[in-house]
Amino acid sequence: MKRLLRQIIPPLRRALGHLAAMRRSRRLGRLAVADAFDEVYRKAYWRQGDSLSGVGSEGSWAADYCAIVADLVGSLGLTTAVDAGCGDFSIGVRLAQQFEHYTALDISAFVIERNRGAHGHLQNVTFAVQDLIEAPIPMADLVMVRQVFQHLTNTQILAILNNIARSGARFALIAEEVPAGPFEPNRDLTSHSVTTRLNVESGIDITAAPFNRSASLLARLRRRPVGRSDEPVLSLHLMKLQPGGACA
Ligand SMILES: C[S@@+](CC[C@H](N)C(=O)[O-])C[C@H]1O[C@@H](n2cnc3c(N)ncnc32)[C@H](O)[C@@H]1O
Protein backbone atom coordinates (compact mmCIF):
# COMPACT_ATOMS: atom_id res chain seq x y z
CA MET A 1 0.00 0.00 0.00
CA LYS A 2 2.81 2.42 0.98
CA ARG A 3 4.60 1.66 -2.28
CA LEU A 4 1.44 2.32 -4.25
CA LEU A 5 0.95 5.68 -2.50
CA ARG A 6 4.58 6.61 -3.18
CA GLN A 7 3.96 5.95 -6.86
CA ILE A 8 0.67 7.83 -7.04
CA ILE A 9 1.26 10.90 -4.85
CA PRO A 10 4.13 12.69 -6.71
CA PRO A 11 2.44 12.70 -10.17
CA LEU A 12 -0.88 13.64 -8.52
CA ARG A 13 0.82 16.58 -6.76
CA ARG A 14 2.40 17.66 -10.06
CA ALA A 15 -0.94 17.45 -11.89
CA LEU A 16 -2.70 19.47 -9.15
CA GLY A 17 0.12 22.04 -9.17
CA HIS A 18 -0.19 22.33 -12.96
CA LEU A 19 -3.97 22.80 -12.71
CA ALA A 20 -3.57 25.49 -10.04
CA ALA A 21 -0.96 27.29 -12.20
CA MET A 22 -3.31 27.19 -15.22
CA ARG A 23 -6.20 28.60 -13.15
CA ARG A 24 -3.97 31.36 -11.77
CA SER A 25 -2.68 32.17 -15.24
CA ARG A 26 -6.23 32.44 -16.63
CA ARG A 27 -7.24 34.74 -13.75
CA LEU A 28 -4.18 37.00 -14.20
CA GLY A 29 -4.85 37.13 -17.94
CA ARG A 30 -8.18 38.84 -17.17
CA LEU A 31 -6.49 41.59 -15.11
CA ALA A 32 -4.92 44.72 -16.60
CA VAL A 33 -1.31 43.98 -17.68
CA ALA A 34 0.14 46.17 -14.89
CA ASP A 35 -2.00 44.51 -12.19
CA ALA A 36 -1.13 41.02 -13.43
CA PHE A 37 2.67 41.54 -13.31
CA ASP A 38 2.42 43.46 -10.04
CA GLU A 39 0.74 40.43 -8.48
CA VAL A 40 3.41 38.12 -9.95
CA TYR A 41 6.08 40.13 -8.11
CA ARG A 42 4.13 40.77 -4.89
CA LYS A 43 3.39 37.05 -4.52
CA ALA A 44 6.76 35.91 -5.97
CA TYR A 45 5.09 33.49 -8.43
CA TRP A 46 8.21 33.24 -10.63
CA ARG A 47 10.73 32.83 -7.82
CA GLN A 48 12.51 29.48 -7.96
CA GLY A 49 16.04 30.52 -6.99
CA ASP A 50 17.23 34.03 -6.09
CA SER A 51 15.54 36.10 -8.78
CA LEU A 52 11.95 37.30 -8.53
CA SER A 53 11.96 37.46 -12.33
CA GLY A 54 12.42 33.70 -12.67
CA VAL A 55 15.13 31.14 -13.42
CA GLY A 56 15.86 32.70 -16.81
CA SER A 57 17.31 35.70 -14.97
CA GLU A 58 20.04 33.75 -13.17
CA GLY A 59 22.53 30.96 -13.83
CA SER A 60 24.15 30.37 -17.21
CA TRP A 61 21.46 32.15 -19.26
CA ALA A 62 22.12 35.34 -17.31
CA ALA A 63 25.93 34.97 -17.44
CA ASP A 64 26.05 34.16 -21.16
CA TYR A 65 23.59 36.94 -22.02
CA CYS A 66 25.60 39.52 -20.07
CA ALA A 67 28.83 38.40 -21.79
CA ILE A 68 27.18 38.91 -25.20
CA VAL A 69 25.95 42.40 -24.23
CA ALA A 70 29.48 43.28 -23.00
CA ASP A 71 30.87 42.29 -26.41
CA LEU A 72 28.24 44.42 -28.19
CA VAL A 73 29.05 47.44 -26.01
CA GLY A 74 32.66 47.27 -27.22
CA SER A 75 32.09 46.31 -30.84
CA LEU A 76 29.19 48.72 -31.54
CA GLY A 77 30.39 51.59 -29.34
CA LEU A 78 27.26 51.71 -27.17
CA THR A 79 27.04 54.23 -24.34
CA THR A 80 23.35 54.35 -23.42
CA ALA A 81 20.82 51.57 -22.87
CA VAL A 82 17.15 51.02 -22.13
CA ASP A 83 16.32 47.80 -20.27
CA ALA A 84 12.72 47.42 -21.40
CA GLY A 85 10.89 45.19 -18.90
CA CYS A 86 13.81 45.12 -16.45
CA GLY A 87 12.09 42.93 -13.84
CA ASP A 88 13.93 42.69 -10.52
CA PHE A 89 17.15 44.07 -12.09
CA SER A 90 19.05 40.77 -11.70
CA ILE A 91 20.33 41.31 -15.24
CA GLY A 92 20.53 45.12 -15.13
CA VAL A 93 22.78 45.19 -12.08
CA ARG A 94 25.36 43.16 -14.04
CA LEU A 95 25.19 45.43 -17.09
CA ALA A 96 24.58 48.98 -15.89
CA GLN A 97 28.21 49.87 -15.10
CA GLN A 98 29.14 49.29 -18.76
CA PHE A 99 26.99 52.21 -19.92
CA GLU A 100 27.17 55.95 -19.28
CA HIS A 101 23.42 55.92 -18.75
CA TYR A 102 21.05 53.01 -18.18
CA THR A 103 17.25 53.37 -18.09
CA ALA A 104 15.37 50.49 -16.46
CA LEU A 105 11.64 50.36 -17.22
CA ASP A 106 8.97 47.98 -16.04
CA ILE A 107 5.18 47.96 -15.94
CA SER A 108 5.16 46.70 -12.35
CA ALA A 109 5.25 49.62 -9.89
CA PHE A 110 6.00 47.11 -7.13
CA VAL A 111 9.20 45.81 -8.74
CA ILE A 112 10.41 49.31 -9.72
CA GLU A 113 9.94 50.51 -6.13
CA ARG A 114 11.85 47.46 -4.90
CA ASN A 115 14.64 48.14 -7.44
CA ARG A 116 14.87 51.77 -6.30
CA GLY A 117 15.30 50.53 -2.72
CA ALA A 118 18.03 48.04 -3.63
CA HIS A 119 19.85 49.88 -6.44
CA GLY A 120 18.85 53.55 -6.08
CA HIS A 121 22.48 54.43 -5.25
CA LEU A 122 23.59 53.68 -8.85
CA GLN A 123 24.20 57.16 -10.21
CA ASN A 124 23.90 56.29 -13.90
CA VAL A 125 20.62 54.34 -13.59
CA THR A 126 17.09 55.73 -13.90
CA PHE A 127 14.20 53.51 -12.86
CA ALA A 128 10.70 54.23 -14.16
CA VAL A 129 7.30 52.57 -14.23
CA GLN A 130 6.29 52.33 -17.86
CA ASP A 131 3.98 50.31 -20.05
CA LEU A 132 6.08 49.65 -23.16
CA ILE A 133 2.90 48.99 -25.16
CA GLU A 134 1.44 52.43 -24.51
CA ALA A 135 4.21 54.95 -23.80
CA PRO A 136 7.10 56.17 -25.98
CA ILE A 137 10.44 54.51 -25.21
CA PRO A 138 13.33 56.89 -24.38
CA MET A 139 16.13 57.18 -26.94
CA ALA A 140 19.25 55.08 -26.34
CA ASP A 141 21.95 53.34 -28.35
CA LEU A 142 20.57 49.95 -27.35
CA VAL A 143 17.11 48.79 -26.27
CA MET A 144 17.14 45.39 -24.57
CA VAL A 145 13.97 43.32 -24.34
CA ARG A 146 14.70 40.15 -22.43
CA GLN A 147 12.04 37.51 -21.81
CA VAL A 148 9.23 40.05 -22.02
CA PHE A 149 7.57 39.35 -25.41
CA GLN A 150 7.08 35.71 -24.45
CA HIS A 151 4.42 36.87 -21.96
CA LEU A 152 2.51 39.17 -24.34
CA THR A 153 0.08 38.83 -27.26
CA ASN A 154 1.25 39.44 -30.81
CA THR A 155 -0.70 42.73 -30.96
CA GLN A 156 1.04 43.94 -27.79
CA ILE A 157 4.45 42.88 -29.16
CA LEU A 158 3.83 44.73 -32.44
CA ALA A 159 3.01 47.90 -30.49
CA ILE A 160 6.28 47.60 -28.53
CA LEU A 161 8.34 46.90 -31.68
CA ASN A 162 6.85 50.04 -33.24
CA ASN A 163 7.62 52.04 -30.09
CA ILE A 164 11.22 50.81 -30.18
CA ALA A 165 11.58 51.79 -33.85
CA ARG A 166 10.10 55.25 -33.12
CA SER A 167 12.44 55.78 -30.13
CA GLY A 168 15.44 56.50 -32.35
CA ALA A 169 17.47 53.64 -30.86
CA ARG A 170 20.42 52.40 -32.93
CA PHE A 171 20.00 48.73 -31.99
CA ALA A 172 17.53 46.46 -30.23
CA LEU A 173 18.44 43.15 -28.65
CA ILE A 174 15.54 40.76 -28.24
CA ALA A 175 16.03 37.63 -26.10
CA GLU A 176 13.25 35.09 -25.80
CA GLU A 177 12.81 31.56 -24.49
CA VAL A 178 11.96 29.16 -27.36
CA PRO A 179 11.65 25.39 -27.80
CA ALA A 180 14.94 23.58 -28.53
CA GLY A 181 13.69 21.83 -31.67
CA PRO A 182 11.76 23.11 -34.71
CA PHE A 183 8.60 25.02 -33.76
CA GLU A 184 5.85 27.13 -35.27
CA PRO A 185 6.85 30.67 -34.25
CA ASN A 186 4.63 33.36 -32.75
CA ARG A 187 1.52 31.31 -31.99
CA ASP A 188 -0.67 33.93 -30.37
CA LEU A 189 -1.79 34.01 -26.76
CA THR A 190 -5.38 34.87 -25.86
CA SER A 191 -4.09 37.49 -23.39
CA HIS A 192 -0.88 38.53 -21.65
CA SER A 193 0.26 35.63 -19.52
CA VAL A 194 2.56 34.78 -16.62
CA THR A 195 3.44 31.59 -18.49
CA THR A 196 5.06 31.60 -21.94
CA ARG A 197 4.46 30.31 -25.45
CA LEU A 198 6.29 27.12 -24.49
CA ASN A 199 2.86 26.09 -23.16
CA VAL A 200 1.56 26.20 -26.73
CA GLU A 201 4.74 24.63 -28.16
CA SER A 202 5.84 27.92 -29.66
CA GLY A 203 8.19 30.81 -29.07
CA ILE A 204 8.86 34.31 -30.32
CA ASP A 205 10.81 34.87 -33.54
CA ILE A 206 10.71 38.55 -34.54
CA THR A 207 11.95 37.72 -38.05
CA ALA A 208 8.81 35.64 -38.75
CA ALA A 209 5.18 36.69 -39.35
CA PRO A 210 3.39 38.69 -38.07
CA PHE A 211 6.46 40.74 -37.01
CA ASN A 212 8.73 40.25 -40.05
CA ARG A 213 11.57 42.33 -38.61
CA SER A 214 15.01 42.20 -40.15
CA ALA A 215 17.36 40.94 -37.45
CA SER A 216 20.36 38.67 -37.10
CA LEU A 217 20.33 35.65 -34.87
CA LEU A 218 23.23 36.24 -32.46
CA ALA A 219 22.97 33.15 -30.28
CA ARG A 220 20.85 30.27 -29.09
CA LEU A 221 21.88 29.75 -25.48
CA ARG A 222 21.52 26.34 -23.91
CA ARG A 223 21.30 26.28 -20.14
CA ARG A 224 24.33 24.87 -18.32
CA PRO A 225 24.83 22.35 -16.93
CA VAL A 226 23.40 20.92 -20.14
CA GLY A 227 20.39 18.77 -19.33
CA ARG A 228 17.81 17.15 -21.56
CA SER A 229 18.12 17.90 -25.29
CA ASP A 230 14.51 19.19 -25.37
CA GLU A 231 15.11 21.92 -22.77
CA PRO A 232 14.19 25.39 -24.11
CA VAL A 233 16.92 27.72 -25.36
CA LEU A 234 17.31 31.49 -25.04
CA SER A 235 17.36 32.93 -28.52
CA LEU A 236 18.97 36.35 -29.10
CA HIS A 237 18.19 38.55 -32.11
CA LEU A 238 19.90 41.86 -32.86
CA MET A 239 17.98 44.48 -34.83
CA LYS A 240 19.83 47.37 -36.44
CA LEU A 241 17.43 50.30 -36.55
CA GLN A 242 17.49 53.20 -38.95
CA PRO A 243 17.12 56.84 -37.96
CA GLY A 244 13.54 57.98 -38.46
CA GLY A 245 11.90 54.92 -36.98
CA ALA A 246 12.44 52.22 -39.58
CA CYS A 247 14.08 48.82 -39.21
CA ALA A 248 17.12 48.03 -41.39
C1 LIG B 1 10.21 37.30 -17.13
S1 LIG B 1 10.36 38.96 -16.64
C2 LIG B 1 11.96 39.37 -17.34
C3 LIG B 1 12.64 40.46 -16.57
C4 LIG B 1 14.03 40.86 -17.10
N1 LIG B 1 13.97 41.36 -18.46
C5 LIG B 1 14.99 39.71 -17.00
O1 LIG B 1 15.32 39.12 -18.04
O2 LIG B 1 15.39 39.40 -15.88
C6 LIG B 1 9.24 39.84 -17.73
C7 LIG B 1 9.10 41.30 -17.33
O3 LIG B 1 8.38 42.02 -18.32
C8 LIG B 1 7.61 43.01 -17.65
N2 LIG B 1 6.55 43.46 -18.56
C9 LIG B 1 5.56 42.71 -19.10
N3 LIG B 1 4.78 43.47 -19.89
C10 LIG B 1 5.30 44.73 -19.86
C11 LIG B 1 4.91 45.97 -20.46
N4 LIG B 1 3.84 46.06 -21.26
N5 LIG B 1 5.66 47.06 -20.20
C12 LIG B 1 6.75 46.98 -19.39
N6 LIG B 1 7.15 45.84 -18.78
C13 LIG B 1 6.42 44.72 -19.02
C14 LIG B 1 7.10 42.27 -16.42
O4 LIG B 1 6.62 43.11 -15.42
C15 LIG B 1 8.35 41.50 -16.02
O5 LIG B 1 9.15 42.24 -15.14
Side-chain angles (χ1 to χ4, degrees), residues 33 37 41 46 51 53 56-57 83-88 90-91 105-108 111 130-133 146-148 150-152 160:
V33 188
F37 289 106
Y41 282 112
W46 284 335
S51 174
S53 294
S57 305
D83 187 344
C86 64
D88 74 349
S90 297
I91 300 295
L105 308 172
D106 203 280
I107 198 167
S108 164
V111 87
Q130 180 164 325
D131 182 352
L132 305 164
I133 302 164
R146 188 179 184 283
Q147 296 195 268
V148 175
Q150 62 196 30
H151 297 291
L152 300 176
I160 297 176

Side-chain angles (χ1 to χ4, degrees), residues 85-108:
C86 64
D88 74 349
F89 211 57
S90 297
I91 300 295
V93 74
R94 299 165 76 152
L95 296 177
Q97 76 278 8
Q98 298 174 44
F99 295 90
E100 281 170 22
H101 193 78
Y102 194 95
T103 306
L105 308 172
D106 203 280
I107 198 167
S108 164

Side-chain angles (χ1 to χ4, degrees), residues 23-44:
R23 263 210 314 273
R24 184 171 68 204
S25 186
R26 271 201 300 274
R27 184 177 59 75
L28 291 179
R30 288 193 290 270
L31 298 182
V33 188
D35 295 338
F37 289 106
D38 237 24
E39 179 169 331
V40 168
Y41 282 112
R42 272 189 288 106
K43 301 202 173 158

Side-chain angles (χ1 to χ4, degrees), residues 210-233:
F211 310 122
N212 301 315
R213 292 312 201 262
S214 163
S216 44
L217 180 65
L218 280 192
R220 281 169 50 86
L221 302 178
R222 289 201 68 190
R223 222 191 281 276
R224 295 189 310 276
V226 174
R228 288 175 18 197
S229 60
D230 62 350
E231 275 187 3
V233 298

Side-chain angles (χ1 to χ4, degrees), residues 120-144:
H121 60 281
L122 297 174
Q123 298 279 316
N124 66 329
V125 179
T126 305
F127 291 104
V129 179
Q130 180 164 325
D131 182 352
L132 305 164
I133 302 164
E134 300 292 341
I137 291 171
M139 174 144 84
D141 290 334
L142 177 69
V143 176
M144 291 171 283

